Amino acid sequence: MASGNVLHVLYNDDDILMRAVKELRSKHYRIIEVYTPFPVHGLDKAMGLPHTRLAICAFIYGLIGLSVATLMMNYIMIEDWPRNIGGKPSFSYLQNMPAFVPIMFELTVFFAAHLMVITFYMRSKIWPFRKAENPDVRTTDDHFLIEVDAADHDLDALSKFLYDTGASEISLIHNEEHA
Amino acid sequence: MVLGLIGLVFGFLSVPTTVEEASEILASHEEHHGSGEEASHEEANFVDEVRQEHGYSEHAMAQDKDLGHDAHEDGEHMEHVLHQMQTKPWSAAFVAAFFFMMIALGTLVFYAIQTAAQAGWSPVLFRVMEGITNYLLPGSVIVLLIVIFAGEHFYPWQNHELVAEDAILQEKSGYLNFPFWLIRGITYVIGWNLYRHFARKNSLAMDHAEDLKPYKNLFRYSVYFLAFFIVTESTMAWDWFMSMTPHWYSTLFAWYIFASIIVSAVTVIAIVTVSLKAIGKLDFVNDSHLHDLAKFMFGFSVFWTYLWFGQFMLIWYANIPEEVTYFILRIQEYNPIFFGMIIINFVFPIVILMNSDFKRVSWFVVIAGVIILVGHYIDIFLLVMPSTVGPYWSFGITEFAALLFFLGLFILMVGMGLAKVSLRPKNNPFLVESEHFHY
């Protein structure tokens, strides 16, 4: 990054925001981040963000959960101490499997759900006492904010272009961290 | 359509010949069983004693235990074997007839649900669904005729001699008696077809209507039909399937059959949609519609498995002799298809249809659909065959011909239903939303 300067461009409508994002991308300006008070349908596609792989994670976690359940019950009920409990056949795992299915199912769901959620927290860096990163408090209520990399662009031309996209407010931020 | 006609003609030609063949097989089997096998003495065990206290007749118990392997040479056994073999073509026809009828019926239910729920995605598919339900009228009448004329072949409680000595069947005769059973069967068929008739009529009237009257009528009929259906579906399952083994009962049986009905129906809707789109008749249907259908296929497959397992595990776990005979027969005599069916109906759809991208690929959905349909044919096969022919089952010419015959008839009727009107409905309040549906 050539300069640490970013532009905070505020919009007050999600339709205008969407159009602005598309225009910025078509002019090859770099969008660092977009802040919205609620999910804007199709924004990720307009920004060209890659598809999430969280579902693939969840599938793998589910398989892990299924294996844990199977190995655990096979060891406890069949190998370690195969007792006759109410006449249930404990000679092999398969013979007594129907009785294990509820636990296999629940552990699959449990692992898939919880590990996926934790993965989400880690990837999005969310945890208690984390300092909120909010460039403008209004973006949690009714404003939309695009953070544009000022880079080496002509600021006047860029501002003019941004106002034309329907921006209600533009501010230049000198950001040391980005330098 | 051409393939369907070929199948239809082939089915017509082969059905009568196979019936004769079946009797030939029967004769050869009779010789086989009559000679070589060892006679084993029937012992009264604990289960029998319990049953006798509960009022089972000797005859019914003998039949329950008669698995063919421990064949004894007395005339009573051979009579039973002969009876089961004569039942075979009936069962083969019934399995295939019901399989295709339930697809049409399930489609009708799905259609009613979509209408009553005011679904915004599906109106573009309404003509497809209506086309499929065109099979309901001939299909349901044929099924009704089969169950009526199969009589004692299917339903032991219609045998007066058996009922006379069986306390349990006597107690059930308030429900399981022929006139009442007949009236119920006719009621179902009339009720379902009435809805289909008026739904189609109002749906077509919507094309030319100036106001919303046909739509509102359709909505109202759909709600009434769904209420009617949930009751008649339960009793239909008891009447036509559960009463094949009148000593056995299961509470969620009707529901379980419903799961089979709805998943097959959604699958067929998806396959027909894909086929019609492939020949360019459904340009307004996009892959998001297909995606939704595939999601329903996936979801209902899991739902079916849930009910299947719910029924199986409860009976397996408690292992009460009264109930467990149903599964013992199926596990011992039908083992490969009994457990193979679970893999086909559960594991395959889970693996194939889990991925969101795969659900949009039409050939993927068709492959999954064919697998699901094969699985649910086996499901119906397993509902009927063990109860009627017992261990003397096979998948031979009779079964295959019956399947082909009804497949041909199904494709013919569906094709006629689809060909009559434009596949693009008009004036449905949700149509525009549906055409722009995007997921």
Side-chain angles (χ1 to χ4, degrees):
Chain A
M1 239 174 277
S3 79
N5 294 346
V6 293
L7 285 169
H8 280 179
V9 191
L10 275 159
Y11 295 88
N12 46 27
D13 188 277
D14 50 343
D15 286 337
I16 302 171
L17 174 84
M18 284 285 282
R19 208 180 316 131
V21 167
K22 281 173 193 158
E23 281 177 36
L24 276 166
R25 295 234 322 144
S26 69
K27 290 279 191 291
H28 300 290
Y29 289 116
R30 201 173 80 88
I31 298 170
I32 296 170
E33 191 63 272
V34 177
Y35 296 86
T36 62
F38 52 79
V40 177
H41 205 77
L43 185 60
D44 53 338
K45 227 173 244 173
M47 286 172 70
L49 296 180
H51 209 273
T52 174
R53 286 167 299 184
L54 209 51
I56 300 170
C57 286
F59 182 71
I60 295 167
Y61 296 148
L63 291 183
I64 293 171
L66 186 63
S67 315
V68 168
T70 311
L71 292 174
M72 176 184 79
M73 285 184 294
N74 185 46
Y75 176 71
I76 296 173
M77 303 300 290
I78 310 296
E79 283 174 13
D80 191 36
W81 201 351
R83 297 204 66 185
N84 182 343
I85 303 165
K88 285 279 162 290
S90 52
F91 307 109
S92 77
Y93 191 75
L94 211 56
Q95 272 187 324
N96 206 1
M97 203 191 73
F100 300 144
V101 166
I103 296 161
M104 288 157 71
F105 170 76
E106 292 294 346
L107 277 185
T108 307
V109 175
F110 179 88
F111 272 63
H114 288 83
L115 290 182
M116 175 177 69
V117 168
I118 293 169
T119 309
F120 169 71
Y121 287 158
M122 309 271 271
R123 282 295 284 142
S124 349
K125 301 192 176 67
I126 305 175
W127 49 79
F129 309 115
R130 178 177 145 82
K131 194 171 165 293
E133 287 174 15
N134 195 354
D136 191 314
V137 287
R138 286 170 299 172
T139 59
T140 60
D141 183 15
D142 63 347
H143 279 66
F144 305 82
L145 190 149
I146 303 180
E147 205 173 40
V148 184
D149 187 1
D152 300 329
H153 303 300
D154 178 3
L155 282 180
D156 288 336
L158 181 55
S159 310
K160 168 107 183 28
F161 169 74
L162 287 168
Y163 275 119
D164 287 344
T165 59
S168 62
E169 193 180 314
I170 299 176
S171 45
L172 181 65
I173 310 288
H174 297 285
N175 201 338
E176 290 304 315
E177 287 166 45
H178 281 272
Chain B
M1 279 303 291
V2 175
L3 187 74
L5 277 174
I6 294 169
L8 185 71
V9 172
F10 179 73
F12 265 125
L13 290 176
S14 53
V15 162
T17 59
T18 50
V19 173
E20 286 161 19
E21 269 175 49
S23 51
E24 277 171 34
I25 296 165
L26 186 125
S28 71
H29 266 260
E30 239 177 295
E31 281 167 26
H32 173 68
H33 280 287
S35 56
E37 292 190 29
E38 209 179 298
S40 68
H41 186 66
E42 218 176 281
E43 290 169 19
N45 57 19
F46 168 72
V47 174
D48 288 346
E49 283 169 23
V50 172
R51 283 180 166 181
Q52 212 140 29
E53 281 168 24
H54 281 280
Y56 273 56
S57 71
E58 294 271 359
H59 187 58
M61 283 196 294
Q63 287 208 354
D64 272 4
K65 283 200 295 192
D66 199 348
L67 294 177
H69 297 312
D70 53 344
H72 30 83
E73 286 178 44
D74 57 12
E76 201 180 318
H77 168 70
M78 278 324 299
E79 209 175 283
H80 180 48
V81 173
L82 182 74
H83 180 234
Q84 288 191 322
M85 292 214 155
Q86 283 169 341
T87 306
K88 206 164 165 285
W90 282 102
S91 302
F94 179 56
V95 171
F98 184 80
F99 178 69
F100 287 104
M101 191 278 275
M102 81 176 189
I103 289 172
L105 181 62
T107 308
L108 194 66
V109 176
F110 192 71
Y111 177 79
I113 292 172
Q114 295 298 316
T115 312
Q118 305 189 334
W121 67 279
S122 50
V124 291
L125 299 173
F126 277 0
R127 287 284 183 271
V128 176
M129 296 187 207
E130 286 164 13
I132 295 170
T133 56
N134 196 34
Y135 177 74
L136 185 66
L137 182 61
S140 58
V141 170
I142 291 172
V143 166
L144 186 64
L145 290 177
I146 290 177
V147 292
I148 289 173
F149 287 104
E152 276 178 39
H153 285 303
F154 281 176
Y155 306 111
W157 54 265
Q158 293 186 4
N159 184 334
H160 295 295
E161 291 167 25
L162 186 66
V163 175
E165 53 184 75
D166 195 305
I168 290 186
L169 293 189
Q170 283 163 18
E171 273 174 40
K172 291 190 179 182
S173 62
Y175 186 77
L176 289 180
N177 61 73
F178 190 75
F180 186 33
W181 176 85
L182 188 67
I183 292 168
R184 287 199 303 270
I186 293 170
T187 313
Y188 312 150
V189 172
I190 290 177
W192 299 336
N193 280 298
L194 273 183
Y195 171 68
R196 145 76 200 172
H197 176 74
F198 286 109
R200 174 76 160 176
K201 200 174 143 197
N202 277 293
S203 175
L204 293 182
M206 221 183 292
D207 280 3
H208 313 291
E210 303 286 315
D211 55 6
L212 281 177
K213 200 159 169 290
Y215 174 77
K216 284 179 177 165
N217 281 338
L218 179 59
F219 180 87
R220 207 166 50 237
Y221 294 148
S222 300
V223 174
Y224 292 149
F225 168 70
L226 287 173
F228 175 78
F229 175 77
I230 199 66
V231 176
T232 52
E233 197 274 332
S234 295
T235 51
M236 178 274 286
W238 304 336
D239 286 358
W240 293 353
F241 290 97
M242 209 151 81
S243 78
M244 285 175 174
T245 47
H247 286 123
W248 179 83
Y249 55 86
S250 163
T251 316
L252 60 67
F253 190 72
W255 235 28
Y256 159 67
I257 292 184
F258 170 70
S260 226
I261 290 176
I262 195 82
V263 67
S264 315
V266 174
T267 304
V268 169
I269 296 171
I271 291 178
V272 172
T273 306
V274 169
S275 323
L276 287 171
K277 197 170 159 53
I279 58 171
K281 301 277 184 198
L282 286 177
D283 293 327
F284 44 94
V285 172
N286 58 39
D287 61 354
S288 290
H289 295 112
L290 187 64
H291 190 209
D292 264 30
L293 284 172
K295 273 191 281 188
F296 271 113
M297 282 161 65
F298 177 81
F300 282 130
S301 283
V302 177
F303 177 64
W304 175 88
T305 315
Y306 167 66
L307 290 177
W308 179 87
F309 185 72
Q311 177 169 285
F312 175 73
M313 192 192 73
L314 287 183
I315 291 175
W316 173 87
Y317 209 106
N319 205 14
I320 302 171
E322 312 253 313
E323 294 175 349
V324 85
T325 47
Y326 183 81
F327 282 113
I328 286 179
L329 180 64
R330 279 158 178 79
I331 292 173
Q332 284 180 351
E333 302 295 331
Y334 293 76
N335 200 306
I337 60 169
F338 184 72
F339 289 110
M341 170 181 77
I342 315 305
I343 295 173
I344 294 176
N345 284 343
F346 176 61
V347 180
F348 280 152
I350 275 267
V351 174
I352 297 175
L353 292 176
M354 176 93 79
N355 190 314
S356 178
D357 296 329
F358 291 173
K359 279 187 282 229
R360 292 165 178 275
V361 182
S362 51
W363 61 269
F364 232 98
V365 174
V366 171
I367 288 179
V370 170
I371 291 172
I372 290 174
L373 286 180
V374 169
H376 284 280
Y377 174 78
I378 298 175
D379 186 24
I380 302 300
F381 190 83
L382 279 172
L383 284 175
V384 175
M385 285 295 178
S387 310
T388 55
V389 304
Y392 301 101
W393 70 280
S394 63
F395 190 83
I397 301 167
T398 323
E399 283 78 10
F400 192 65
L403 189 60
L404 269 190
F405 171 74
F406 285 104
L407 176 68
L409 187 63
F410 181 78
I411 294 176
L412 182 73
M413 292 310 295
V414 172
M416 275 163 56
L418 289 170
K420 268 181 204 155
V421 289
S422 158
L423 289 178
R424 188 193 202 105
K426 275 183 261 175
N427 294 340
N428 186 306
F430 295 96
L431 188 64
V432 179
E433 178 185 343
S434 178
E435 282 179 355
H436 295 109
F437 174 68
H438 167 78
Y439 172 76

